[in-house]
Amino acid sequence: MARFVAWIGESLGAERTRWVLWLPVAMALGIGIYFALRQEPPIWLGPAPVILAAAAVFLGRRHDAVLVVALGLLACAAGFGVAQWRTLGAAHVILERPIGPTRVDGQIESVQGLTDGTRLVLQRVRIAG
């Protein structure tokens, strides 16, 4: 195990000038973890790891190995948090039950042709009744 830890340390040292290039990879890993979940996580699960990883960055700033790992975790947590935040921000209203014929007012955002009909995405929707 000691040889493995030494090898990791040497590898990190050799990659020192390219550490910043790994930040997008870590962020994409966090985004991938979010979208791999089978159900929507609780809302606190986005910001909590970011806060913890930021604290680890602050506390480990004087030790290169700790700082590198903490920054990687921070980037991963940030990717997860941003994916959750964007998903929550893009949530659309979904009707819970059929409402039958009714008047719907709104602005058409996009039109998609489907095999069994057409999908309209509306903005500023008002449903009568």
Side-chain angles (χ1 to χ4, degrees):
M1 182 65 146
R3 280 194 333 184
F4 178 72
V5 172
W7 176 78
I8 292 290
E10 290 171 16
S11 298
L12 283 174
E15 292 285 324
R16 185 178 191 96
T17 59
R18 295 184 287 257
W19 284 350
V20 72
L21 299 176
W22 285 97
L23 291 177
V25 174
M27 197 162 187
L29 177 65
I31 293 168
I33 290 169
Y34 173 81
F35 285 109
L37 297 176
R38 294 189 182 271
Q39 61 186 18
E40 187 65 26
I43 194 151
W44 60 265
L45 199 55
V50 172
I51 293 167
L52 292 173
V57 167
F58 179 75
L59 294 173
R61 68 188 181 277
R62 295 196 177 134
H63 305 286
D64 283 348
V66 175
L67 181 62
V68 170
V69 171
L71 283 171
L73 291 173
L74 179 61
C76 185
F80 184 94
V82 167
Q84 184 181 32
W85 177 57
R86 290 290 294 148
T87 299
L88 293 171
H92 294 293
V93 176
I94 299 174
L95 298 176
E96 294 178 8
R97 59 181 169 71
I99 58 173
T102 189
R103 180 183 172 102
V104 176
D105 293 320
Q107 182 179 10
I108 297 175
E109 180 179 308
S110 66
V111 179
Q112 269 184 312
L114 304 174
T115 57
D116 58 343
T118 304
R119 174 184 293 156
L120 297 175
V121 177
L122 304 174
Q123 291 182 350
R124 296 185 277 280
V125 177
R126 287 178 286 141
I127 299 174

